[in-house]
Amino acid sequence: MTGEDPTQTLLRLRSSIDNIDAALVFMLAERFRCTKQVGDLKAEHGMPASDPAREEQQIARLRALSHDADLDPEFAEKWFNFVVAEVIRHHTAAADGR
């Protein structure tokens, strides 16, 4: 690093982290707006809430992206599974008419 004061460096890095966290929240919100539409479409046409084949394809794709991004693929898969569980919950609720 430079001769920057460590306290200033910490503040600068934390500010960047805060900006990234904000962007992630907005991106997740947009993702869930899209998956809500998918859930409504599935409910309307009697399609299952879960699509295991699609989920497996996405896991493989995200693991490859993680490798390219120097991110732990195990972490990426855990994150994806967490998000998909919530999506399936929403899709099931849509199918139940809630």
Side-chain angles (χ1 to χ4, degrees):
M1 295 221 151
T2 66
E4 184 178 19
D5 173 29
T7 301
Q8 291 303 312
T9 302
L10 182 61
L11 290 173
R12 180 178 49 75
L13 291 169
R14 284 181 174 167
S15 177
S16 291
I17 291 167
D18 292 349
N19 289 338
I20 294 165
D21 288 346
L24 287 170
V25 166
F26 280 93
M27 291 182 78
L28 278 171
E30 181 62 21
R31 188 186 196 288
F32 276 96
R33 279 189 282 280
C34 292
T35 60
K36 181 184 183 317
Q37 292 176 33
V38 169
D40 292 344
L41 182 68
K42 286 180 172 185
E44 181 181 337
H45 296 281
M47 300 164 82
S50 176
D51 185 345
R54 163 86 172 147
E55 292 162 26
E56 287 301 315
Q57 290 171 345
Q58 286 298 92
I59 287 169
R61 187 177 77 81
L62 290 174
R63 289 183 71 87
L65 287 170
S66 296
H67 178 73
D68 293 344
D70 198 26
L71 178 70
D72 179 5
E74 294 295 321
F75 172 77
E77 186 172 345
K78 287 178 190 176
W79 169 82
F80 179 75
N81 287 330
F82 177 77
V83 170
V84 167
E86 186 67 8
V87 168
I88 291 170
R89 188 178 72 76
H90 291 178
H91 290 186
T92 301
D96 292 344
R98 293 188 220 150

